[in-house]
């Protein structure tokens, strides 16, 4: 099985964390977390996805 690169691992980790926070905040379990935190996680996930895809092109 092929090992994932470091940027791919970072992207997957951020994606899982973002989805988990989004779901738990939607279920009001993590309702104390401000909305900006979710936006930051979302932007970090998108940015790391772009970096990962650009690295795969090279």
């Amino acid at each position: 099985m092929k090992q994932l690169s470091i940027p791919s691992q970072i992207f997957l980790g951020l994606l899982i964390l973002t989805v988990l926070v989004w779901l738990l905040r939607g279920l009001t379990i993590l309702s104390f977390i401000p909305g900006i935190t979710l936006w930051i996680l979302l932007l970090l996930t998108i940015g790391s996805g772009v970096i990962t895809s650009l690295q795969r092109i090279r």
Side-chain angles (χ1 to χ4, degrees):
M1 186 172 180
K2 188 177 177 184
Q3 193 78 5
L4 290 175
S5 65
I6 299 294
S8 295
Q9 290 176 358
I10 292 172
F11 170 70
L12 287 175
L14 281 171
L15 182 65
I16 291 169
L17 180 65
T18 303
V19 169
L20 186 66
V21 168
W22 193 2
L23 286 174
L24 291 177
R25 191 166 183 262
L27 294 172
T28 66
I29 295 172
L30 293 177
S31 60
F32 60 90
I33 293 179
I36 191 71
T37 305
L38 192 56
W39 278 106
I40 290 171
L41 280 173
L42 188 62
L43 291 174
L44 283 172
T45 303
I46 292 170
S48 66
V50 168
I51 290 172
T52 301
S53 63
L54 287 176
Q55 186 184 29
R56 287 184 184 218
I57 291 173
R58 280 201 300 160

